[in-house]
Amino acid sequence: MVDLKGQYEFIKERINSSVIEVIESTAYINGPEVHAFQKELEDYLGVKHVIPCANGTDALQIAMMGLGLKSGDEVITADFTFAATVEVIALLGLTPVLVDVDPINFNIDIEAMKAAITPKTKAIVPVHLFGQCADMDAIMEVAKEHDLFVIEDNAQAIGATYTSKDGSKQKAGAIGHVASTSFFPSKNLGCYGDGGAIFTNDDDLAHTIRGIVNHGMYKRYYHDVVGVNSRLDSIQAAILRAKLPHLDNYNKARQDAARKYTAALSGHENIITPTICENCDCHVFHQYTLRVLNVDRDALVKHLNENDIPCGIYYPVPLHLQKAYRDDRYDEANFTVTNQLAKEVISLPMHTELEDDQIEYITSKVLEFVNK
Ligand SMILES: *Cc1c(COP(=O)(O)O)cnc(C)c1O
């Protein structure tokens, strides 16, 4: 699904020397590499504050802690995503409110989101799923009207650019009140272990969060709030500094591969290819995900695997049907899209090193199966 070794080969010297420098410096925690990476990512994203942390799940949790969300507060998020989002809502004693997604872009459905708002709703967590920006204009408008926080889960869309209705452009993660991301190795900007970050333009929130990630300390050994220990280590920061200058090219390589997949697969009556916007950069293809109609999806997976093609099912079970998150409040009639997508989606290999002949081979094997 990913070719981390191939990507490493191109930047091996810089990575190796940066890692060795950190080891020799002995500044393993909160060293200069972490601060430099933080600044470089702030510049890249156009946000005032980046607060590095240990992983993308912590980033979501810390963002919610920083906003002061309290037990009983309702937080709306998409039913069709990785479980981290709903997991941290539940862990903090908040009430998750899962809603259906849009069948075209797989992101939170705006009407479903509006319908889920109650007097207890405090925040919305849009997830820019598979690398494509959610409808942030609509989300920010609804949030403003109801006085809600917006926490962007940007784990899959770092580097994507969102173009608003008025033509202004912002990086995904720079739009909501606060955002989280993950540097898990297979993410668009991945390190060689775990890593994550929180972004915000709000000075006070940034200050609060900087304390939370460090045991609630604003002055050493004075604990003002309940915090956590969540840090990006200096070696990972050094690796991310080496990779950040390549992020735009990495995302372009993903977009090119997506275009080639789509050229080969679009127009087939049993296949729905993902939308590709030609005039914007709102999709950075963390995943290239097809919907297959009237096709035995699991047999297609088997066919591809038998031909040495890895593929992924993201995600096989909607969150509202997961044992941990089932709730009598949910009505199946409100989840028709996620229930359908869970049966139809299949993600093809997607990374920065895909060659044309690999794409041709993969698409030919997909077509061979669906044409059978
Ligand atoms: C990967 C991911 C996370 C969690 O990131 P980790 O660094 O693995 O904790 C959260 N949300 C989404 C949408 C993700 O894809």
Side-chain angles (χ1 to χ4, degrees):
M1 284 300 277
V2 295
D3 180 6
L4 299 175
K5 191 74 195 287
Q7 196 188 55
Y8 166 64
E9 291 298 333
F10 281 100
I11 47 171
K12 192 171 180 168
E13 273 165 41
R14 163 90 200 262
I15 296 264
N16 291 4
S17 63
S18 312
V19 168
I20 287 169
E21 258 173 52
V22 173
I23 295 172
E24 293 194 341
S25 78
T26 72
Y28 305 135
I29 300 288
N30 276 334
E33 291 292 322
V34 177
H35 298 282
F37 172 63
Q38 172 192 320
K39 285 272 165 299
E40 287 159 10
L41 190 58
E42 284 166 357
D43 289 345
Y44 175 84
L45 293 167
V47 292
K48 277 174 88 177
H49 306 281
V50 165
I51 302 107
C53 67
N55 57 68
T57 308
D58 276 7
L60 276 166
Q61 175 178 334
I62 293 158
M64 289 180 203
M65 291 169 76
L67 291 171
L69 302 185
K70 297 268 171 347
S71 170
D73 289 348
E74 293 179 4
V75 180
I76 298 175
T77 193
D79 187 41
F80 189 65
T81 177
F82 181 57
T85 330
V86 68
E87 179 178 62
V88 302
I89 297 170
L91 270 176
L92 291 174
L94 314 173
T95 306
V97 178
L98 296 166
V99 301
D100 212 355
V101 297
D102 181 286
I104 307 295
N105 64 19
F106 308 154
N107 282 321
I108 197 163
D109 181 275
I110 303 301
E111 293 309 314
M113 178 187 88
K114 283 190 200 161
I117 295 172
T118 74
K120 289 186 183 164
T121 308
K122 287 286 150 47
I124 304 170
V125 188
V127 181
H128 303 307
L129 200 72
F130 303 150
Q132 185 168 30
C133 294
D135 183 354
M136 291 307 291
D137 278 340
I139 292 165
M140 295 311 289
E141 203 176 296
V142 171
K144 194 167 177 200
E145 190 184 327
H146 296 270
D147 200 16
L148 308 175
F149 294 118
V150 174
I151 305 162
E152 291 176 75
D153 182 345
N154 197 31
Q156 300 190 0
I158 196 155
T161 302
Y162 181 75
T163 307
S164 295
K165 277 182 291 199
D166 67 8
S168 63
K169 288 179 186 290
Q170 275 163 300
K171 288 284 183 203
I175 307 163
H177 298 94
V178 58
S180 61
T181 200
S182 164
F183 305 121
F184 185 79
S186 63
K187 300 284 156 99
N188 292 34
L189 178 62
C191 57
Y192 296 168
D194 272 311
I198 304 139
F199 332 137
T200 184
N201 285 312
D202 180 327
D203 297 340
D204 293 337
L205 181 59
H207 173 75
T208 304
I209 288 175
R210 282 189 209 289
I212 292 174
V213 297
N214 191 24
H215 301 289
M217 288 192 287
Y218 297 90
K219 188 172 152 195
R220 192 168 268 218
Y221 305 123
Y222 289 78
H223 304 269
D224 294 358
V225 295
V226 177
V228 294
N229 169 17
S230 187
R231 297 184 281 239
L232 178 71
D233 72 64
S234 304
I235 288 180
Q236 299 306 337
I239 291 163
L240 289 164
R241 286 191 74 199
K243 290 183 75 175
L244 181 59
H246 300 281
L247 177 59
D248 285 343
N249 283 336
Y250 290 159
N251 283 339
K252 276 200 193 81
R254 289 172 178 272
Q255 289 166 333
D256 281 348
R259 245 178 245 117
K260 289 171 189 161
Y261 272 138
T262 292
L265 298 172
S266 70
H268 195 288
E269 59 177 350
N270 302 102
I271 298 175
I272 301 181
T273 52
T275 22
I276 298 194
C277 26
E278 286 303 334
N279 301 317
C280 79
D281 256 336
C282 66
H283 198 334
V284 290
F285 288 94
H286 175 61
Q287 298 294 348
Y288 182 87
T289 303
L290 300 172
R291 290 174 62 189
V292 290
L293 315 176
N294 303 313
V295 166
D296 180 344
R297 193 261 322 262
D298 298 332
L300 170 59
V301 170
K302 195 159 164 267
H303 174 77
L304 295 178
N305 289 342
E306 280 167 4
N307 285 285
D308 297 321
I309 299 169
C311 54
I313 305 302
Y314 311 114
Y315 297 89
V317 183
L319 293 176
H320 80 280
L321 294 176
Q322 296 282 1
K323 270 191 212 157
Y325 304 110
R326 272 184 210 158
D327 194 313
D328 292 339
R329 287 176 296 131
Y330 295 131
D331 177 353
E332 280 309 303
N334 291 331
F335 294 97
T336 51
V337 178
T338 55
N339 287 341
Q340 182 100 9
L341 291 178
K343 293 188 203 112
E344 294 175 350
V345 287
I346 176 166
S347 300
L348 301 181
M350 175 49 81
H351 53 82
T352 55
E353 316 301 314
L354 271 174
E355 305 283 351
D356 287 359
D357 57 342
Q358 293 175 313
I359 294 175
E360 271 161 41
Y361 176 69
I362 295 163
T363 54
S364 74
K365 291 293 167 190
V366 171
L367 290 170
E368 180 181 286
F369 184 87
V370 296
N371 286 330
K372 237 189 350 214

